[in-house]
Amino acid sequence: MKYKEIIDQMTLEEKASLMSGKDFWQSQDIPRLNIPNLFLSDGPHGLRKQAVAADHLGLNESLPATCFPTAATLANSWNEDLGEQIGQALGEEALSQKVNVLLGPGINIKRNPLCGRNFEYFSEDPYLAGKLSSSMIRGIQSQGVSACVKHFSVNNQEMNRMTIDTIVDERTLREIYLTAFEMAVKEGQVKSLMSSYNKLNGFYTNENLHLMQDILRIDWNYDGCVITDWGGSNDRVEGLRAGNELEMPTTGGETDRDIVLAIKEGKIEESILDEAVNRLLTLTYDTNKALSDRDVTVDIEQHHKLAQTAAEESIVLLKNEGDILPLKENTSVAVIGDFADVPRYQGAGSSIVNPTKLDSFLDLIPSSSLNYVGYARGFKRYGGTSNALIRKACQLAKKADKVILFIGLDEYSEVEGLDRPNMKLPQNQIDLLHELSQVNKNIIIVLSSGSAVEMPWINKASGVLHAYLSGQAGAGAILNVITGQVNPSGKLAESYPFQYEDVSSRSNFPGMENSVEYREGLFVGYRYYDTSNTPVLFPFGYGLSYTQFKYEDLKLSQTSVSFTLSNTGLVKGSEISQLYIKGPSDQIFRPSKELKGFSKNHLEPGQSINITIPLDDKAFRYFNVKTQTWEIESGSYTIMIGSSSADIQLLDKIEITGTDAPSPYKKENLPSYFNGKVANVGDAEYEELLIEPRPDTLWNRKKALGYNDTIAQCQYAKSWVARLSFRLIIFAHWFLKCIGQRATANLIIMSVYHMPFRGIARMTGGIFSLPMIDGLLMVVNGHFFKGFNHFFKEKKKLKKAHK
């Protein structure tokens, strides 16, 4: 061990104390041995260091920092170099604010469009997510601080996220949900990793030996730190056994005492604790050296410009009927929509950034080349009909040649802790669009959202520009694309179905109670749509340009694919070329194509370049559940080069010699998976895929409630006090929504309704202990007086212990 000499000087209690936080954002220090603490801060797309009144939900304002485009936005750039530049800027800002560990990026797969946190994640595709996150990690860690990739793993819904049991077969787990993490570890060399709240196949991820030991530590040879999500520790000793170094936030020493007692009683070896301390000290000393060696002053303007460049590369042109874009000089335009004035530029929750500055489209357009005739709000931001706003907008639209209409999802629709109820835009925005189309046919929509939405209204617009959540400098990027100063080059990192009913996981999302079943298996996003021949509105990898590109001269080798790309249009532009591969046989079910490489290149008009995309170790592999390892089929693989998953330009085949492992499947027992039509897989077929029986998906309504049951389950409690409390929570949520207090209403669901009882102890910094929670549970389970007596008795003990 690197720090054995220091560890040998520590008492057992000191070693245990390092395993839990000192407060909400800091790890413990040991002044006696000159061991400093770590400061951890949220920061997937910008630093959120809270100087005072710390919280995990983004309620209290943080120190100013650059708000870059969110991961969902940046993913549309398909630009690894850009990701590394943003990572470097994030690392610089972390250094300047004395932050050791930046809690990001988030790389969970977009299994379903309704996941409330999709705006924080890169893609529905693990390869793209892995490449972009690895580049960002390298950038962050180039400054000496640590990235912390999250949430490990299969955290793909917000509903009941702290207790839900994710049921997923081993092959799907490895190929879809762990590949990006594997790349972050191996290619990004990430120094820390955050475990997720949920269970995986019956065990909390933080305690899951198969996930944390067999896969992370042994298969991937990961020697960095594992940090819990805030309040995500269930059994601290079991978490330590699985290889967790740091529980956050503090529990006031309660779980430190659990570790000490477990070692003294022989339940866990002290050597396991020593190894964890050694890994934590490595992270602590390495990052503190960077903080002490460098005094960084952030160039705010330079970072703002980088944020704008990122937004420009990430904007996706979805529709350009009659070449309505770019707008010519002196075109008269009416700007309509609340988001033009107050931009929708980031999501809500723990990733909220307090921007150093914030550009507004309304502030920028008067100095542009356009003839700006005025602005109308058009709709109420948070819903509700206003005929007066619509009338004013229509009157303004009549005065202009073109209408630039800003619409999208509001801040409370995409938020940590809550999933979206549907894929629709607010009805008041659609009503506005309908009325505007009656008075002006030349409508250009600027769409702002962090995830996919249905667009049955798209025929009302001639142009659609998807800005996603483009950060503090997004307004300037939008204006530059609209006026042609920038040629849009973004391409979708997720598919856009016509309707939610077309989504493969629709019948199994979200898991409402005990578990969520990933019955669709490998067939997520384009893997499902393309294999099952389900038409989509916009395919994965889609995006228009103001120029045209030509693909030709495909050449294959065992290690790479090359071809010629030409800009055949009249303006300079960038093209994202995508490499897809199809497997060779029908003995191993696979999607009809899978992304295995990509390249983004800038070309002048008339320019041609030769592009080579390597065939790496992930190009041909699949995970064999019989041999429990990665294998390669022998046979003829189809190699495809396309401008999207649905627009394949070049195609050829190559013979690959594989490992000739035995087939793990009985084809006749898995018909849905072999034809890709997995939207309604039956119980027996799913259990065949799992190779084990399914657990019960529903809560046991008759058992007494325990630590890992949620406040929501009080509706079934024996105690009338608990049932009444549940109804009061529901009423408060309904009432707050009715009076327009959606933020507070959302908070009730996030921090109360879905909270497990143990979370009351784990998230309150030692104010409540688990023995106190025992008292609350007695009350909930029908022992009113006994429970309150126990609660207050334990409260006195806790007070005494703190003294």
Side-chain angles (χ1 to χ4, degrees):
M1 287 189 298
K2 187 176 181 181
Y3 294 104
K4 185 177 187 304
E5 189 176 327
I6 295 174
I7 293 169
D8 287 346
Q9 297 176 55
M10 292 184 196
T11 66
L12 176 59
E13 287 74 15
E14 284 175 329
K15 287 188 283 189
S17 75
L18 292 176
M19 299 292 95
S20 184
K22 177 181 181 178
D23 56 26
F24 208 85
W25 293 116
Q26 296 182 90
S27 69
Q28 187 62 259
D29 57 344
I30 302 179
R32 181 179 75 82
L33 297 171
N34 296 315
I35 297 173
N37 65 283
L38 294 166
F39 195 101
L40 305 94
S41 173
D42 282 311
H45 57 271
L47 209 61
R48 191 177 77 89
K49 182 178 181 181
Q50 292 176 307
V52 294
D55 72 274
H56 187 52
L57 298 171
L59 303 178
N60 297 311
E61 197 170 77
S62 56
L63 299 175
T66 308
C67 182
F68 291 96
T70 67
T73 313
L74 186 63
N76 296 329
S77 76
W78 297 58
N79 189 332
E80 293 178 73
D81 291 338
L82 179 62
E84 191 157 344
Q85 289 176 50
I86 290 174
Q88 184 175 334
L90 289 169
E92 288 175 1
E93 296 199 15
L95 278 177
S96 73
Q97 294 192 22
K98 302 301 180 185
V99 168
N100 301 73
V101 179
L102 200 61
L103 302 174
I107 59 174
N108 295 98
I109 294 300
K110 297 184 181 184
R111 174 184 178 238
N112 186 284
L114 300 186
C115 174
R117 217 166 173 180
N118 274 349
F119 66 88
E120 279 191 61
Y121 305 142
F122 287 99
S123 180
E124 67 188 30
D125 182 83
Y127 190 87
L128 179 58
K131 284 293 182 184
L132 293 177
S133 62
S134 295
S135 67
M136 183 177 282
I137 290 163
R138 288 192 295 271
I140 292 169
Q141 297 188 165
S142 71
Q143 302 305 299
V145 298
S146 173
C148 182
V149 70
K150 60 186 185 183
H151 308 86
F152 189 65
S153 62
V154 288
N155 179 187
N156 308 106
Q157 69 175 59
E158 293 299 287
M159 168 76 77
N160 286 334
R161 62 178 176 163
M162 295 186 79
T163 58
I164 198 74
D165 189 2
T166 301
I167 309 302
V168 57
D169 68 281
E170 185 74 8
R171 183 180 170 200
T172 297
L173 175 68
R174 299 276 193 144
E175 293 188 22
I176 302 296
Y177 297 100
L178 294 186
T179 291
F181 285 100
E182 178 187 1
M183 295 167 76
V185 168
K186 293 180 177 179
E187 297 180 23
Q189 296 289 301
V190 71
K191 294 177 181 177
S192 62
L193 176 150
M194 183 188 290
S195 57
S196 57
Y197 286 125
N198 54 284
K199 294 177 185 175
L200 167 60
N201 294 329
F203 300 93
Y204 281 99
T205 59
N206 193 59
E207 304 165 12
N208 192 309
L209 290 170
H210 177 56
L211 180 68
M212 293 295 180
Q213 286 293 324
D214 299 342
I215 297 175
L216 180 64
R217 298 291 186 188
I218 298 171
D219 286 3
W220 301 350
N221 198 30
Y222 179 65
D223 62 357
C225 278
V226 174
I227 301 167
T228 68
D229 203 338
W230 265 236
S233 175
N234 171 48
D235 184 315
R236 185 66 192 95
V237 173
E238 289 307 308
L240 179 63
R241 193 192 308 279
N244 170 266
E245 280 72 39
L246 181 59
E247 171 195 37
M248 291 298 290
T250 180
T251 59
E254 180 179 16
T255 54
D256 303 342
R257 293 188 288 273
D258 291 343
I259 292 171
V260 170
L261 184 62
I263 290 172
K264 286 181 176 179
E265 292 180 347
K267 293 178 181 177
I268 188 171
E269 298 81 10
E270 191 169 352
S271 60
I272 292 176
L273 175 61
D274 289 347
E275 288 173 9
V277 171
N278 186 68
R279 287 193 288 259
L280 186 66
L281 289 178
T282 301
L283 180 67
T284 302
Y285 284 127
D286 287 354
T287 55
N288 272 291
K289 184 177 188 304
L291 265 58
S292 61
D293 286 354
R294 294 179 60 191
D295 187 16
V296 173
T297 300
V298 172
D299 188 331
I300 292 173
E301 287 302 321
Q302 184 185 43
H303 283 195
H304 186 76
K305 287 177 183 175
L306 177 59
Q308 180 167 321
T309 298
E312 288 170 350
E313 286 213 33
S314 304
I315 288 171
V316 185
L317 180 59
L318 295 177
K319 183 178 182 180
N320 197 19
E321 193 175 85
D323 291 331
I324 192 171
L325 290 173
L327 295 181
K328 295 180 175 59
E329 192 173 336
N330 293 321
T331 301
S332 67
V333 297
V335 178
I336 297 172
D338 190 72
F339 299 148
D341 182 21
V342 182
R344 171 78 208 288
Y345 64 101
Q346 65 176 328
S350 62
S351 66
I352 286 179
V353 178
N354 179 18
T356 55
K357 58 189 296 189
L358 181 59
D359 290 342
S360 164
F361 192 82
L362 284 193
D363 291 340
L364 299 178
I365 193 170
S367 59
S368 74
S369 61
L370 302 173
N371 177 14
Y372 169 56
V373 302
Y375 162 74
R377 185 183 173 198
F379 61 87
K380 293 180 179 179
R381 191 180 190 94
Y382 303 114
T385 302
S386 174
N387 293 327
L389 289 177
I390 291 177
R391 276 197 306 273
K392 286 181 183 178
C394 289
Q395 288 166 6
L396 180 65
K398 292 175 184 177
K399 300 176 183 177
D401 292 334
K402 307 286 194 298
V403 172
I404 304 176
L405 175 61
F406 285 74
I407 58 176
L409 299 176
D410 64 58
E411 293 83 353
Y412 304 133
S413 298
E414 297 177 290
V415 60
E416 178 182 356
L418 295 172
D419 296 313
R420 289 196 289 156
N422 55 58
M423 283 182 65
K424 303 178 188 300
L425 285 187
Q427 188 59 44
N428 62 349
Q429 296 182 26
I430 298 171
D431 293 342
L432 170 65
L433 173 59
H434 176 76
E435 294 302 322
L436 288 172
S437 68
Q438 304 300 308
V439 300
N440 193 324
K441 299 295 183 186
N442 299 313
I443 298 174
I444 299 154
I445 287 175
V446 177
L447 183 62
S448 296
S449 68
S451 49
V453 295
E454 294 173 359
M455 302 186 194
W457 38 260
I458 197 168
N459 63 328
K460 305 281 185 187
S462 298
V464 179
L465 205 64
H466 203 334
Y468 268 71
L469 302 180
S470 50
Q472 66 181 52
I478 293 166
L479 184 58
N480 282 346
V481 170
I482 284 175
T483 58
Q485 301 301 304
V486 169
N487 188 351
S489 61
K491 296 201 174 188
L492 294 174
E494 59 188 320
S495 309
Y496 273 58
F498 279 104
Q499 57 187 357
Y500 181 65
E501 288 70 24
D502 296 333
V503 176
S504 63
S505 58
R506 67 183 183 272
S507 300
N508 297 285
F509 181 93
M512 299 294 287
E513 297 192 3
N514 188 55
S515 66
V516 55
E517 298 179 339
Y518 285 33
R519 293 196 182 206
E520 71 282 354
L522 302 174
F523 299 95
V524 175
Y526 74 91
R527 285 170 166 80
Y528 169 69
Y529 301 123
D530 290 357
T531 307
S532 64
N533 296 315
T534 302
V536 295
L537 178 61
F538 296 116
F540 176 80
Y542 173 88
L544 300 175
S545 171
Y546 295 153
T547 190
Q548 298 82 43
F549 298 95
K550 182 180 179 182
Y551 292 77
E552 54 192 345
D553 195 22
L554 178 64
K555 293 178 181 175
L556 309 181
S557 77
Q558 296 288 305
T559 58
S560 66
V561 176
S562 64
F563 56 94
T564 300
L565 180 69
S566 304
N567 182 347
T568 59
L570 302 176
V571 296
K572 62 185 178 182
S574 297
E575 170 71 339
I576 299 163
S577 307
Q578 300 156 42
L579 164 65
Y580 296 91
I581 297 180
K582 181 182 180 182
S585 80
D586 63 354
Q587 296 306 304
I588 307 295
F589 66 81
R590 294 189 181 208
S592 63
K593 63 174 74 75
E594 296 182 278
L595 182 75
K596 298 296 182 180
F598 57 91
S599 180
K600 185 169 190 175
N601 297 275
H602 184 81
L603 289 85
E604 296 293 323
Q607 183 183 5
S608 296
I609 58 172
N610 185 262
I611 296 171
T612 298
I613 300 177
L615 295 171
D616 62 18
D617 62 328
K618 296 165 191 67
F620 305 112
R621 72 178 190 176
Y622 76 97
F623 192 81
N624 188 302
V625 294
K626 183 173 283 188
T627 63
Q628 281 294 298
T629 191
W630 294 100
E631 305 283 4
I632 296 175
E633 279 188 279
S634 295
S636 179
Y637 287 78
T638 304
I639 307 296
M640 296 165 269
I641 298 293
S643 62
S644 79
S645 65
D647 186 10
I648 301 303
Q649 298 283 321
L650 303 172
L651 182 148
D652 203 349
K653 294 195 173 185
I654 187 171
E655 291 293 327
I656 296 294
T657 302
T659 53
D660 295 326
S663 173
Y665 303 119
K666 293 180 180 178
K667 187 175 178 181
E668 63 274 15
N669 293 343
L670 297 167
S672 301
Y673 298 100
F674 276 91
N675 64 31
K677 296 180 179 178
V678 294
N680 293 291
V681 174
D683 293 354
E685 188 175 359
Y686 186 50
E687 290 188 357
E688 177 78 15
L689 184 72
L690 289 174
I691 322 177
E692 58 186 26
R694 299 159 38 248
D696 195 346
T697 60
L698 300 179
W699 291 323
N700 183 341
R701 283 145 168 80
K702 295 182 180 179
K703 74 175 182 67
L705 298 185
Y707 290 145
N708 290 320
D709 294 312
T710 65
I711 307 300
Q713 288 171 260
C714 285
Q715 61 188 296
Y716 308 118
K718 292 180 180 178
S719 167
W720 66 267
V721 175
R723 295 195 300 273
L724 177 61
S725 299
F726 169 79
R727 290 185 174 86
L728 289 173
I729 291 168
I730 295 299
F731 174 78
H733 177 257
W734 170 83
F735 180 74
L736 287 165
K737 285 185 73 175
C738 286
I739 63 173
Q741 298 296 314
R742 285 178 60 196
T744 309
N746 286 351
L747 183 62
I748 286 175
I749 298 298
M750 284 188 284
S751 59
V752 180
Y753 189 85
H754 293 316
M755 179 72 73
F757 281 93
R758 65 172 161 81
I760 300 171
R762 296 293 187 247
M763 287 289 277
T764 52
I767 295 173
F768 292 91
S769 66
L770 278 181
M772 288 169 67
I773 304 305
D774 288 334
L776 287 181
L777 286 168
M778 289 178 194
V779 173
V780 165
N781 289 316
H783 306 288
F784 185 85
F785 295 107
K786 181 181 178 183
F788 270 115
N789 183 51
H790 183 88
F791 177 87
F792 287 111
K793 190 183 294 182
E794 292 299 332
K795 186 177 180 181
K796 284 180 184 176
K797 284 185 187 176
L798 186 65
K799 241 182 192 177
K800 194 174 179 182
H802 284 168
K803 286 178 182 177

